[in-house]
Amino acid sequence: RGLVAQNVALAVKVPNAPRRGNKVIIPSKAELRAILAAAGSSENLMAQAMVELLIYTGLRASEVRGLAWRSVDLRNGKVRVESRADARGAHGAPKSVAGVRVVPIPSGLVITLREWKLACPHHADDLVFPSPKGRVLSHDVMGKKYLKPIMIAAGVTKPGKDEDKAATKYTAHVFRHAAASLWIEQ
């Protein structure tokens, strides 16, 4: 509009903010083997299937929580990621456009998922990992009831707080990084 004769902000330099994110520490191969062994010897078939799916596919926790049986192709060994469940349990599209994908699964996981499908309670949403009430499993329950016992059995822990003697060393999200690292290595 010609109201300002010069750009007074031209000499201002905005510094780049340093990246302060914590470096992701992924489980070692020995820890992954121990976790998978503990999952395989677990009496909780749902926990076994969940841990194996997280490690072998690199799915986000929200994608695992929102995964329906119609998206699992056991005959061809593939999982179609086409939805996720948010913190409130609402179903929606994956986090990004690239989040819609088909992920191959190994034959051992196919066997575990077949066994779990036979034992899985039927419910309206047809979720692979439902809550006891047939709803979307909360992220908190997923960690405490299913992942934590497997990691404690595997000895993959760190000192806990308060009355918790041991806490899980890794979260569900770390398995996403572990899967990507293993794929890159291959």
Side-chain angles (χ1 to χ4, degrees), residues 103-186:
V103 182
I105 56 176
S107 59
L109 177 53
V110 169
I111 292 167
T112 301
L113 286 172
R114 276 194 180 126
E115 291 174 14
W116 170 237
K117 188 172 185 177
L118 293 173
C120 182
H122 295 287
H123 51 281
D125 288 337
D126 199 33
L127 295 171
V128 176
F129 303 110
S131 74
K133 293 182 180 179
R135 298 188 183 120
V136 172
L137 192 65
S138 77
H139 189 77
D140 193 46
V141 170
M142 179 182 180
K144 288 180 180 174
K145 187 174 180 183
Y146 299 100
L147 300 179
K148 184 177 180 176
I150 299 288
M151 294 229 229
I152 288 174
V156 182
T157 61
K158 62 183 180 183
K161 296 177 184 173
D162 302 326
E163 72 279 348
D164 240 356
K165 293 201 182 345
T168 56
K169 191 173 175 182
Y170 302 110
T171 63
H173 185 74
V174 170
F175 295 123
R176 183 168 169 73
H177 294 278
S181 295
L182 292 171
W183 293 332
I184 290 167
E185 184 180 301
Q186 286 180 352

Side-chain angles (χ1 to χ4, degrees), residues 80-98:
R80 285 184 322 280
V81 181
E82 46 201 8
S83 70
R84 68 180 185 91
D86 68 14
R88 286 175 256 117
H91 292 274
K95 189 175 175 181
S96 67
V97 175

